[in-house]
Amino acid sequence: FYKNMSAEQDKNLELKIKLCEKVEAIKDSTDWKITTDRIISYQKEWKKIGPAPKKYSNKVWARFREACDTFFNNKKLHFKDIDSEQSKNLELKKAIIEEARQFTLSGNAEEDINKLKDFQNRWAEIGFVPIKYKDAIQEEFRHLIDGWFDQLNLDEYDRDLERFRAKLSSLDAGDYKDYKIINEREKLVAKIRQLELDVNQNHYLMSRIHTISSFLKYLQKPPILCSYHVYITICQIMYNTSKCPG
């Protein structure tokens, strides 16, 4: 009996040592989500393993715990730094909002548009903010900038076009710009598809279709990178025509 128990405990020790080695191999990983899941799965395996020989039990457990603690302490420090950085970013964005709120139009449309673009570009260059504030502060800034664009001394078509050009400029200035521009395109394409479904039922829209006819020539060229912004601009113009009264 004791011989079998000893053999079983030796086997358990081997299994626990292997788990120690697995955790030690990934304890310095910065792939936080995947590594967290893996280490948690190893911890669950550990609990299922029976006791190891008494003279090795505490030592192997300390080895396993140290490797786990190394990873989770690193993870905690990493996200603590991120939280601090995001809090700073939040204050920077609040400062831009206050600056934009104090802004006044000069009466020179070109100068005013450039200033609004500058606000948007500086906003885009700031990194992430704490997620619980993300939507609210973004909406506050968007509403403020849109309000200034609405007051520009331009007709509706030019005002919408300049607003969207400014948005493109801010997307191009920020991080993950390729993803953001593609995401913007996909949203517009979805809106255009909906617009196509509505077009036959919307006489107001039909009367405004000629607004975009002069831009269609750009789409006859090969879809090279430099024409991409032209494509997006046309999409936005098409979308703006769907903002029908009533």
Side-chain angles (χ1 to χ4, degrees), residues 123-136:
W123 181 274
E125 289 170 356
I126 299 172
F128 295 111
V129 301
I131 193 167
K132 64 181 179 179
Y133 300 112
K134 174 178 174 289
D135 291 340

Side-chain angles (χ1 to χ4, degrees), residues 66-151:
E66 180 182 5
C68 293
D69 287 349
T70 296
F71 170 77
F72 286 112
N73 287 336
N74 289 342
K75 179 182 177 182
K76 182 178 179 180
L77 288 174
H78 170 76
F79 284 101
K80 183 178 180 181
D81 289 342
I82 286 181
D83 289 343
S84 176
E85 181 180 353
Q86 290 185 351
S87 294
K88 291 178 182 177
N89 291 340
L90 179 62
E91 293 306 312
L92 290 173
K93 289 194 170 185
K94 286 181 177 179
I96 291 180
I97 285 176
E98 184 57 31
E99 187 179 346
R101 186 175 284 115
Q102 298 300 322
F103 169 70
T104 56
L105 297 175
S106 68
N108 183 311
E110 183 177 356
E111 290 182 3
D112 292 335
I113 288 169
N114 287 336
K115 184 60 178 178
L116 294 175
K117 286 181 179 179
D118 179 63
F119 285 138
Q120 290 181 309
N121 289 342
R122 287 162 53 198
W123 181 274
E125 289 170 356
I126 299 172
F128 295 111
V129 301
I131 193 167
K132 64 181 179 179
Y133 300 112
K134 174 178 174 289
D135 291 340
I137 197 167
Q138 182 67 35
E139 178 62 22
E140 183 178 2
F141 179 71
R142 186 195 64 79
H143 180 75
L144 184 60
I145 295 299
D146 282 352
W148 285 123
F149 270 108
D150 288 340
Q151 295 181 50

